[in-house]
Amino acid sequence: MDFRGKTVIVTGAGKGIGREIVRMLVERGAQVVALTRSGADVEALRGEFGCRAIQVDLADADATREAAIAALPADFLINCAGTTELQPFLETTVEAFDRLVAVNTRAPMIVAQEYARSLIKEDRKGAIVNVSSVASFVGIPDHAAYCASKGGLDGLTRVMAKELAPHGIRANGVHPTVTLTPMAVKAWSDPEKAAGMMKRIPVGRFAEPADIAEVVLFLLSDQAAMVNGISMPVDGGYMIA
Ligand code: NDP
């Protein structure tokens, strides 16, 4: 996959899967515009990968729209930023629920709106990949708000796929299983919980960020020109178990 001459917006580019996506895109010739929260990551992305990097808290809707507009023009969009907080269903707070939906669901919608508006105005084609999770397919204990936020993101992906494809813009979702990143440390540090999850993954390991990044780049690329509106698990077979 050759991304020479292409500009790609990547949210959540500072760590984990987003950072690996940036590394791969730059290696394959893309110019990356990174949207992420921590100042240290913004500096590192500029220094290491020569990205344009914009610091933004994607929980803030107005700031998100401003950052999305500042990131344009772009050929492709990857909504990768995500966050989680572990709470059993009965103890899930409205505040945590709203925080997760703001970052995991609302921010991808806002960034995609601005990206698509700009492409349609310029009569250019494009593609969007939303990084969801296997948590949108199954109920994972202590992840009520996270599961709901990713289920909402899947709904958005499908509507985008229908409404934007006539304009030449595809939209697809990628659904990782546990992937070895800072988020996974937060969500899966309990060895008993991690072992239970691992048992359900037929390939016998958790994912590496590169496993996810390769699939994201494929769905973005012209090789996937006829793929639109899918939810692709990258889960080592977890979903068939
Ligand atoms: P990490 O926590 O490792 O990295 C997330 C990135 O998103 C960080 O750069 C973080 O910045 C950024 N981010 C989070 N919240 C905000 C915010 N409010 N504003 C701006 N940037 C923000 O996560 P992963 O790489 O593991 O996850 C990437 C995506 O993959 C997420 O959407 C996640 O839900 C999904 N996923 C991950 C799985 C896993 O096991 N790791 C499994 C399934 C799905 P900062 O650190 O500065 O806050």
Side-chain angles (χ1 to χ4, degrees):
M1 280 167 279
D2 187 352
F3 287 90
R4 270 177 296 181
K6 302 293 184 192
T7 302
V8 187
I9 299 172
V10 182
T11 75
K15 297 184 179 71
I17 296 169
R19 187 181 167 81
E20 179 60 17
I21 288 171
V22 172
R23 194 195 63 71
M24 250 182 219
L25 280 168
V26 168
E27 191 179 86
R28 295 171 196 189
Q31 181 68 44
V32 173
V33 186
L35 266 55
T36 201
R37 181 165 53 181
S38 302
D41 289 340
V42 165
E43 290 310 318
L45 286 160
R46 286 179 185 149
E48 198 171 330
F49 301 114
C51 296
R52 263 187 75 207
I54 298 171
Q55 188 172 4
V56 61
D57 181 356
L58 295 166
D60 177 333
D62 293 337
T64 298
R65 197 171 296 284
E66 211 174 291
I69 291 168
L72 296 166
D75 297 287
F76 298 118
L77 166 63
I78 301 166
N79 277 311
C80 186
T83 187
T84 194
E85 291 181 42
L86 303 192
Q87 292 174 330
F89 172 69
L90 292 178
E91 287 155 37
T92 298
T93 62
V94 167
E95 291 75 18
F97 186 89
D98 286 351
R99 268 196 300 275
L100 264 60
V101 169
V103 177
N104 296 352
T105 320
R106 187 179 68 191
M109 179 192 75
I110 294 171
V111 180
Q113 282 177 330
E114 296 306 330
Y115 162 77
R117 279 181 189 140
S118 122
L119 283 186
I120 292 166
K121 198 166 153 200
E122 294 166 20
D123 197 21
R124 290 168 52 203
K125 295 184 192 313
I128 299 166
V129 174
N130 291 325
V131 179
S132 183
S133 169
V134 292
S136 74
F137 300 134
V138 297
I140 300 179
D142 301 335
H143 286 71
Y146 184 75
C147 290
S149 70
K150 292 297 190 179
L153 179 61
D154 296 357
L156 281 173
T157 302
R158 287 189 284 270
V159 175
M160 285 183 212
K162 279 210 172 156
E163 290 194 9
L164 300 180
H167 298 284
I169 304 166
R170 295 179 297 108
N172 290 292
V174 166
H175 298 244
T177 184
V178 176
T179 307
L180 299 168
T181 69
M183 178 186 279
V185 172
K186 191 167 157 189
W188 297 95
S189 54
D190 172 0
E192 209 176 309
K193 184 178 161 192
M197 183 68 170
M198 179 80 89
K199 248 192 253 163
R200 290 195 51 193
I201 302 177
V203 301
R205 66 173 177 88
F206 291 145
E208 296 290 341
D211 294 318
I212 314 304
E214 286 286 7
V215 176
V216 169
L217 264 56
F218 166 68
L219 288 174
L220 211 61
S221 73
D222 286 346
Q223 280 96 325
M226 201 52 192
V227 184
N228 187 39
I230 67 157
S231 299
M232 181 179 276
V234 187
D235 67 347
Y238 170 81
M239 289 305 300
I240 54 170

